[in-house]
Amino acid sequence: MDLADASDKHSSVLARAALQATNYLRVIQERHAGVRISGDGLRQMLGPRPFPENGENPERIVDELAGAGLLGTSASQGPRYFGFVTGGSLPVATAADWLVSAWDQNAQTYVMSPIASVVEDIAAGWLKDVLQLPTAWSVGFVTGAQMANFTSLIVARHHVLRNAGWDVERDGLFGAPPIGVLVSEESHRTIFTALRMVGLGDGRVGRIETDGQGRMRPDRLAQALEKATGPCIVCTQVGNVNTGAADPLSEIAPVVRSRGAWLHVDGAFGMWAAASASLRHLVAGVEQADSVATDAHKWLNVPYDSGIVFTAHPESHQRALVVPAHYIQATEGERDPRTFTPDESRRARGIAVYAALRALGRRGVEELVERCCSHARRMADALRPHPQVRILNDVALNQVLVQFVPLNDDARDEAAFTEAVVAGIQADGTCWLGATLWHARRAARISICNWSTTERDIDRSAAAILSVVDRLS
Ligand SMILES: *Cc1c(COP(=O)(O)O)cnc(C)c1O
């Protein structure tokens, strides 16, 4: 194959993908917000089976994938998908991510990809700026908040054991001083996965009681810290996955510091409150943390997969992760992305973050965050007057927690009625939201973090939700 041939091959199949992708993004604006095809239906569309003996035409493969994607995707790129905590992707971020695939760089070292390294370095600086974190902190680009929590705890483990005179990188945890771990009763489950993965276990941890909004109680934490001996790690969160509430870090941080413990903050989406002058107070004190995990694929609206780990201890960050190798070539003064993450080879995911931040600017990020929160309040205000609706949380951020009550007002039926309403909303398809269990109550969870959602989308969705409630009553 000569070069002209190779670039022709690229241009026709990439043009096809661009056409299909732009068509998809148009259709998704009005399509049913959920998925109405079964796994078997998709398998039929995506034949051939068994595995074909001979290769097939690339354009045809792209077309068939695109056809299946029209049916087999959640409309999370659309403006009325409120399930889990799911961002969309800004057009510039999607486009930048296409370049990343076209370049196909191995983003592990500067030598392998100067552009990946330099752009990541710029994006790291901008992230600390927009989230108001200290400039000296280290930054790593990982796949999501799960990996950011994991990486934070690897660094925490190194740091607290080193202070106790133990070299965990060399000697592992066998015979190490036991590390006390305190988490919130409502820590996200990824904290527990991360604790498992770093060898700290998820069953031996202390769970600190929370208040009526799901925030860790500082008085209870102080009591637990008094009892804890030896090296210690405390896991807090800003952005409770149900209520959106933030643990009171300005009260928590001094207590954790005076005990010499490591303070980790899971801020997968809640950390973005820091980008807004009017919401920043919710995360006050985060700059006193030792590590922070967040996502870019949620509220910053870049494509999956994109999470970020920040630490206040750059040396510990690298010492915990880097195993020297003679064939790795470091470049003086340049960033080697692999030294901040558990990954070795990986995609240049910092580039979509750079593009999103540059396209929005400080004002744009602030507006995006504030707009989503104002949409959440608008949604709550539209639902609240209905006699069969109870809003369970203070809508302080982008999450709305709703309980639906049957007309007979029988408490035993509330869970079943709420589940029926959620199923009805999912079937209707104007918008999509899921159910959760919170403080022993079944509730619907509405999360708003898509850049393209408008007030009209909120009003349409609220009307659709209430009409399901009326229909089922
Ligand atoms: C979403 C979320 C996570 C997990 O993030 P991923 O990006 O899915 O890995 C962790 N913690 C909180 C609070 C979250 O909302």
Side-chain angles (χ1 to χ4, degrees):
M1 171 170 37
D2 66 25
L3 276 180
D5 226 28
S7 78
D8 277 355
K9 287 212 160 75
H10 280 134
S11 66
S12 56
V13 74
L14 289 185
R16 202 74 211 157
L19 199 71
Q20 292 284 11
T22 37
N23 177 55
Y24 176 79
L25 292 169
R26 187 175 46 73
V27 168
I28 211 73
Q29 302 302 313
E30 286 304 323
R31 201 204 73 181
H32 191 284
V35 180
R36 284 180 305 168
I37 185 168
S38 66
D40 275 339
L42 278 172
R43 272 182 281 273
Q44 266 165 30
M45 291 184 78
L46 292 166
R49 271 180 326 273
F51 179 56
E53 212 48 53
N54 298 308
E56 292 182 23
N57 176 282
E59 280 106 85
R60 171 152 173 227
I61 297 168
V62 166
D63 284 345
E64 289 196 8
L65 276 171
L70 275 173
L71 301 172
T73 53
S74 301
S76 55
Q77 272 278 51
R80 292 179 304 282
Y81 187 86
F82 308 128
F84 311 96
V85 182
T86 310
S89 175
L90 291 157
V92 71
T94 306
D97 206 50
W98 286 358
L99 285 180
V100 169
S101 289
W103 294 338
D104 193 28
Q105 298 287 282
N106 186 339
Q108 61 164 300
T109 60
Y110 177 84
V111 169
M112 288 178 180
S113 181
I115 187 151
S117 160
V118 169
V119 171
E120 190 174 295
D121 198 43
I122 296 171
W126 287 351
L127 283 165
K128 286 183 278 186
D129 188 332
V130 76
L131 298 177
Q132 307 233 317
L133 293 172
T135 51
W137 283 25
S138 54
V139 185
F141 290 79
V142 289
T143 49
Q146 167 74 86
M147 286 304 287
N149 282 330
F150 173 56
T151 309
S152 299
L153 292 179
I154 294 172
V155 181
R157 186 184 69 171
H158 163 87
H159 194 89
V160 300
L161 285 180
R162 188 184 155 90
N163 287 345
W166 185 264
D167 184 342
V168 69
E169 283 69 44
R170 190 187 61 201
D171 299 327
L173 286 171
F174 304 99
I179 301 175
V181 178
L182 298 171
V183 304
S184 156
E185 232 174 18
E186 294 187 45
S187 283
H188 193 268
R189 70 177 181 287
T190 53
I191 288 291
F192 299 99
T193 317
L195 287 169
R196 287 181 180 193
M197 293 194 290
V198 293
L200 297 178
D202 68 2
R204 56 184 284 287
V205 301
R207 296 171 189 239
I208 310 299
E209 208 179 303
T210 51
D211 67 11
Q213 291 299 315
R215 292 175 291 235
M216 183 187 278
R217 287 184 49 177
D219 55 331
R220 293 301 157 91
L221 174 64
Q223 287 165 3
L225 278 170
E226 261 168 37
K227 283 189 226 130
T229 52
C232 184
I233 298 171
V234 177
C235 298
T236 60
Q237 67 184 356
V238 294
N240 178 300
V241 86
N242 285 306
T243 62
D247 292 346
L249 292 178
S250 48
E251 287 171 71
I252 287 173
V255 183
V256 177
R257 284 219 150 175
S258 67
R259 168 63 179 66
W262 180 281
L263 176 59
H264 172 62
V265 180
D266 175 359
F269 61 98
M271 192 55 214
W272 292 86
S276 151
S278 60
L279 297 165
R280 193 167 296 148
H281 65 98
L282 295 171
V283 298
V286 70
E287 70 290 343
Q288 298 175 61
D290 296 290
S291 55
V292 174
T294 195
D295 266 321
H297 57 217
K298 285 178 179 166
W299 224 341
L300 184 60
N301 281 259
V302 305
Y304 290 98
D305 39 27
S306 190
I308 301 137
V309 51
F310 301 91
T311 89
H313 307 276
E315 250 183 64
S316 293
H317 194 162
Q318 296 198 310
R319 275 211 216 102
L321 289 165
V322 180
V323 176
H326 55 78
Y327 58 86
I328 295 285
Q329 205 181 316
T331 310
E332 186 60 33
E334 298 294 355
R335 176 185 176 90
D336 282 334
R338 75 177 187 98
T339 61
F340 299 97
T341 72
D343 293 302
E344 181 89 348
S345 301
R346 65 168 173 86
R347 77 189 271 103
R349 63 173 62 89
I351 288 176
V353 172
Y354 164 93
L357 287 171
R358 186 167 166 190
L360 292 166
R362 191 190 311 282
R363 289 289 308 280
V365 178
E366 180 171 42
E367 273 163 21
L368 167 61
V369 170
E370 289 180 356
R371 187 167 70 242
C372 290
C373 296
S374 131
H375 287 338
R377 289 193 299 273
R378 188 179 181 91
M379 177 70 91
D381 290 345
L383 299 178
R384 193 181 283 112
H386 194 286
Q388 290 171 266
V389 167
R390 281 190 208 138
I391 307 290
L392 298 182
N393 66 324
D394 291 342
V395 185
L397 207 66
N398 64 325
Q399 305 284 115
V400 187
L401 208 51
V402 199
Q403 190 179 35
F404 299 105
V405 216
L407 275 177
N408 63 12
D409 212 9
D410 182 342
R412 283 167 311 178
D413 295 340
E414 280 171 15
F417 187 69
T418 296
E419 273 167 31
V421 171
V422 168
I425 294 162
Q426 291 181 356
D428 167 74
T430 305
C431 64
W432 202 94
L433 47 84
T436 186
L437 189 68
W438 191 69
H439 291 192
R441 285 159 145 186
R442 211 69 185 139
R445 191 164 69 125
I446 301 170
S447 175
I448 300 165
C449 41
N450 189 303
W451 67 277
S452 67
T453 304
T454 64
E455 289 189 345
R456 203 179 110 66
D457 290 310
I458 297 298
D459 297 345
R460 255 178 88 178
S461 302
I465 291 168
L466 292 180
S467 81
V468 171
V469 175
D470 290 334
R471 184 158 51 74
L472 293 178
S473 294

